[in-house]
Amino acid sequence: DILPSLRGKKLLEVGCGNGYWLRLFHSKGAQCVGVDVSKNQLAEAQKRNESEKTRIIYYPSNGADLKVLGSQKFDIVFLEKVLLEVPALSQIRKIMKEAYRVTQKGGILVVSELHPAAVHFNIPNFKLTPEYGYFNSGSTIKVISKRVDGNAISYTDYHWTLEDICNAITDTGFKIVKITEPRPRFSTVHKYPYLKYREGTPVDLLIKAIK
């Protein structure tokens, strides 16, 4: 809903992992490029490229340094749950600065993140650390997730306020035009009842900006 038609659009995902979202965007007609710092994830993405016969280009690169890519090249730049893995606000600003550089004039930036307030709603898989405070930018939270094999895994994410995220975007020159707090449709909750808590809890945040 937040994106235009993708047919023929040049799209970059920063922090693409194994290419899950890029394969979806590619199926909608986008010309896709992905960058990630994890060589293991990119190796998996390349395997999917070959097995699914997709033409997605991947580069091992940090989102704060996209010198491998030219300026004003992409119609859309997309980030999915990237900022919560960045330990410094200065690094986030560099990521946004690079995103601005590689985006064409009139192009779109879409940032999908954990909602900054989500950890305040007693969601079982979020555990606050002693240092956590909403306005303590960069404080950590513990996240417990299930792996594909069903086993639980615990990892650390970094908390950024709404102010941190929005200012990092607009300070580069992007103009925020839409903020969405996604909730599941009734039909989705009916099919997957465990998602009912998301009807009244802000878990995700989508920000759309234009250059």
Side-chain angles (χ1 to χ4, degrees):
D1 293 338
I2 205 170
L3 288 171
S5 169
L6 296 181
R7 187 156 301 280
K9 294 291 193 299
K10 295 178 180 178
L11 186 149
L12 168 69
E13 183 179 5
V14 177
C16 64
N18 67 17
Y20 170 85
W21 284 103
L22 289 178
R23 289 190 292 276
L24 178 61
F25 296 144
H26 181 272
S27 72
K28 303 292 184 181
Q31 301 173 31
C32 296
V33 175
V35 299
D36 201 283
V37 294
S38 171
K39 293 182 179 179
N40 289 338
Q41 290 276 32
L42 291 180
E44 180 63 25
Q46 292 289 9
K47 288 180 183 177
R48 299 286 186 92
N49 240 359
E50 296 167 8
S51 64
E52 300 178 22
K53 295 181 171 57
T54 51
R55 295 181 179 179
I56 302 172
I57 300 171
Y58 294 103
Y59 294 104
S61 183
N62 187 312
D65 183 5
L66 299 176
K67 60 187 176 185
V68 68
L69 303 173
S71 298
Q72 301 188 52
K73 185 175 181 180
F74 295 95
D75 301 294
I76 300 167
V77 175
F78 177 73
L79 290 85
E80 160 71 13
K81 303 296 192 298
V82 170
L83 305 186
L84 53 73
E85 296 186 5
V86 180
L89 188 56
S90 59
Q91 193 79 351
I92 290 177
R93 292 191 181 110
K94 289 179 181 179
I95 291 171
M96 293 304 165
K97 186 176 180 180
E98 280 291 82
Y100 187 84
R101 179 182 66 81
V102 301
T103 302
Q104 295 182 7
K105 185 173 178 57
I108 295 170
L109 170 74
V110 174
V111 176
S112 173
E113 270 301 317
L114 175 70
H115 197 294
V119 296
H120 291 268
F121 286 86
N122 298 317
I123 299 173
N125 61 318
F126 294 143
K127 304 295 181 184
L128 301 184
T129 61
E131 67 170 3
Y132 173 82
Y134 181 83
F135 290 109
N136 186 8
S137 298
S139 56
T140 57
I141 57 175
K142 295 291 184 181
V143 184
I144 301 170
S145 294
K146 283 188 176 181
R147 293 160 38 120
V148 176
D149 60 13
N151 293 322
I153 183 172
S154 176
Y155 51 91
T156 300
D157 281 338
Y158 298 91
H159 165 75
W160 303 108
T161 67
L162 184 62
E163 181 179 332
D164 292 331
I165 296 170
C166 290
N167 286 346
I169 292 171
T170 58
D171 285 350
T172 64
F174 280 115
K175 179 181 179 182
I176 294 175
V177 294
K178 190 176 184 67
I179 294 179
T180 303
E181 297 166 299
R183 283 155 285 177
R185 294 182 176 91
F186 174 81
S187 57
T188 303
V189 175
H190 181 73
K191 186 175 182 180
Y192 304 104
Y194 70 90
L195 292 176
K196 187 171 180 59
Y197 77 95
R198 286 183 174 239
E199 290 181 321
T201 302
V203 177
D204 294 299
L205 179 71
L206 275 171
I207 300 175
K208 178 181 179 179
I210 294 179
K211 180 173 179 177

